[in-house]
Amino acid sequence: MKKSIQHQPVMVNEVLFYLIGNDPGVYVDATVGLGGHTKEILSSLTSESRVLGIDLDRAALETAKHNLREYGERVTLVEGNFVDTPKILSRFGIARVDGVLLDLGLSSFQLASDRGFSYRSSSRLDMRFGKGARYSAYDVVNRFGEKMLSDIFYRFGEERFSRQIAKKIVARRKRSSIETSDELAKIVASSIPGRGAVKSLSRVFQALRIFVNDELGNLATALSVLPDLLNPNGRICVISYHSLEDRIVKRRFKELVSSGGFLALTEKPVSPGISEVQENRHSRSAKLRCILRKV
Ligand SMILES: C[S@@+](CC[C@H](N)C(=O)[O-])C[C@H]1O[C@@H](n2cnc3c(N)ncnc32)[C@H](O)[C@@H]1O
């Protein structure tokens, strides 16, 4: 197998500390990516414990399969959306699980892919994690109206130059369609007065990705179905990288705790330590929240 870009899993010790309770047990890594967290989870559990890994990204799953080959039947990988976790589990005859991990956002593998996630790359604007997304980033950038574009950049990227950027995009695409990530990056950069372009670039690209993959909608749906799948002492851990995601997690966990059946394991979100942030810049905005099912 050719060597591909890997992804360094975030807050591994913290995830293991909060996620693992029952052993033997069945765990779901609902965003398995390249299998970084799954590998650590499997290594810290006894040999009867299993992990079911889900991801939308078929290419990532291929790499995960290779990375996790030493665990044999203890790991099962499934291409799918984590909102469908109940259905996926029932296909394997599993009714209840002991822990679910959601490590949101995108992996370094995807950022380095040719799907247009990075404003530093020159690849076709796509940004879909996998099958099922209604629009690609190309469709959004070339077909959506100015107001809609501006709303996407403002809502999902909190970009204050959203209107100027949307206006420039619409003016530019009248001449020819915007095909690649670097073409879009140039348009965004030229819309920003002064020197703030880098931050705007990452916010605009992030906003498009969040919209294309309906990341906030999927998170809210997942958090409505996953708690019912837990055994007593089962846990849900979520690592988020965006304030809008963290808000959804915080509110839903609060609701579950108020219902009486759940306990917050993290009163405040847990962040990576300084040395992890220095070693892995991708971790810098990570926030981990976990809850436990009492009965
Ligand atoms: C930050 S990466 C996970 C990295 C992983 N923890 C590791 O250590 O390799 C996030 C992953 O979530 C996947 N993903 C995002 N939304 C998803 C969804 N709704 N269902 C399933 N997978 C999803 C992405 O394709 C990506 O591979």
Side-chain angles (χ1 to χ4, degrees), residues 9 31-37 55-56 80-82 103-106 110 129:
T31 52
V32 68
L34 305 193
H37 283 109
D55 207 289
L56 281 166
N81 190 318
F82 55 54
D103 176 22
L104 303 170
L106 87 167
Q110 290 165 324
F129 287 148

Side-chain angles (χ1 to χ4, degrees), residues 28-82:
V28 177
D29 185 346
T31 52
V32 68
L34 305 193
H37 283 109
T38 288
K39 195 177 171 92
E40 301 291 342
I41 294 166
L42 284 164
S43 309
S44 62
L45 289 166
T46 54
S47 60
E48 299 107 280
S49 290
R50 295 169 52 192
V51 174
L52 184 103
I54 302 171
D55 207 289
L56 281 166
D57 190 326
R58 184 177 290 182
L61 286 168
E62 278 302 313
T63 303
K65 193 171 156 195
H66 178 79
N67 290 344
L68 298 167
R69 63 198 180 284
E70 69 191 91
Y71 297 97
E73 297 195 341
R74 291 183 63 203
V75 60
T76 307
L77 298 175
V78 178
E79 181 183 349
N81 190 318
F82 55 54

